[in-house]
Amino acid sequence: MDSYSTHDLLEAKRSITSTLSKCEKALLKLQPGRSQHTLTVRRIAAFHLALDLIDRELAKGEEAQA
């Protein structure tokens, strides 16, 4: 996997967090069982996974510096 700078990871995390928040707000307005609802639920899960992976990479970087 490519190596990303701490700045790149933090910027990606900020962007994903913002989009995740917007998706969670939109989800409240979507009707369950519809394709847009399903898509948004899956998108939210993917964003949570991406944030976890970014946090792992940031933690690795902190460990390497210690």
Side-chain angles (χ1 to χ4, degrees):
M1 186 163 155
D2 292 331
S3 180
Y4 299 99
S5 71
T6 300
H7 174 69
D8 290 341
L9 291 170
L10 290 173
E11 187 61 27
K13 183 175 178 176
R14 185 196 62 75
S15 180
I16 291 169
T17 300
S18 173
T19 306
L20 174 60
S21 175
K22 291 173 187 175
C23 285
E24 289 171 338
K25 288 176 187 175
L27 184 63
L28 299 174
K29 299 175 185 177
L30 297 173
Q31 187 176 4
R34 299 287 209 165
S35 61
Q36 287 298 321
H37 184 273
T38 303
L39 176 65
T40 304
V41 167
R42 290 179 180 165
R43 226 175 239 157
I44 289 170
F47 286 140
H48 281 291
L49 184 116
L51 289 172
D52 286 345
L53 293 172
I54 289 170
D55 286 339
R56 284 185 197 176
E57 283 299 309
L58 288 169
K60 281 183 197 176
E62 289 174 6
E63 288 174 6
Q65 292 177 358

